[in-house]
């Protein structure tokens, strides 16, 4: 039995936050969306831009983002196949949220940075 991607929300306080987070709940989804704010990218470009993600995970996260309407996937009929990803209108509406997350991360990165071994 497959897991429901999104269930109905009870509209209690905080349900709008719950609804928004349910769309970006994957480990790499915000990072993918952030990279797509610069423009259209091919799968291999995203793979290079996000070195920690596996091919399988990137594929799954892109599929979920497309299913949720946050990104567009355009397939070009050519050999070899060419697929491009871009933000949808809904995805573009998340740009201020992603910018705020980046600003917060930049301001607090030193709190979470891994300790560097001394040479």
């Amino acid at each position: 039995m497959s897991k429901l991607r999104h269930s109905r929300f009870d509209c209690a306080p905080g349900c709008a936050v719950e609804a928004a987070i349910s769309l970006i709940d994957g480990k790499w989804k915000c990072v993918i969306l952030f990279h797509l704010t610069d423009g259209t990218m091919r799968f291999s470009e995203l793979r290079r831009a996000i070195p920690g993600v596996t091919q399988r995970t990137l594929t799954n996260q892109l599929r979920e983002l497309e299913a949720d309407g946050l990104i567009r996937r355009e397939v070009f009929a050519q050999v070899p196949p060419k697929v491009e990803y871009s933000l949808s209108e809904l995805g573009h509406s998340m740009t201020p949220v992603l910018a705020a997350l980046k600003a917060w991360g930049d301001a607090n990165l030193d709190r979470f940075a891994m300790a560097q071994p001394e040479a």
Side-chain angles (χ1 to χ4, degrees):
M1 182 171 172
S2 66
K3 175 183 146 191
L4 285 176
R5 291 254 328 118
H6 304 287
S7 59
R8 295 216 177 261
F9 300 99
D10 65 3
C11 290
C15 79
V17 173
E18 184 181 354
I21 289 181
S22 74
L23 294 176
I24 56 173
D25 65 350
K27 179 177 180 179
W28 301 103
K29 287 183 182 179
C30 285
V31 177
I32 293 166
L33 292 171
F34 179 78
H35 284 292
L36 291 175
T37 60
D38 291 335
T40 301
M41 295 179 80
R42 294 179 67 178
F43 184 87
S44 59
E45 292 173 314
L46 283 166
R47 200 63 214 277
R48 282 190 299 274
I50 312 168
V53 69
T54 65
Q55 181 172 335
R56 179 174 187 245
T57 299
L58 181 58
T59 299
N60 289 337
Q61 302 268 285
L62 287 167
R63 284 180 184 157
E64 289 178 13
L65 287 167
E66 181 186 15
D68 292 337
L70 293 172
I71 65 169
R72 282 189 298 260
R73 178 179 185 263
E74 187 173 359
V75 180
F76 297 89
Q78 66 183 51
V79 177
K82 177 180 173 184
V83 180
E84 292 183 342
Y85 297 92
S86 60
L87 292 179
S88 66
E89 188 176 328
L90 182 62
H92 277 292
S93 71
M94 293 216 49
T95 301
V97 175
L98 297 168
L101 282 170
K102 183 183 182 321
W104 186 89
D106 288 344
N108 293 284
L109 190 60
D110 58 328
R111 295 174 188 241
F112 309 108
M114 292 176 24
Q116 298 298 318
E118 294 189 30

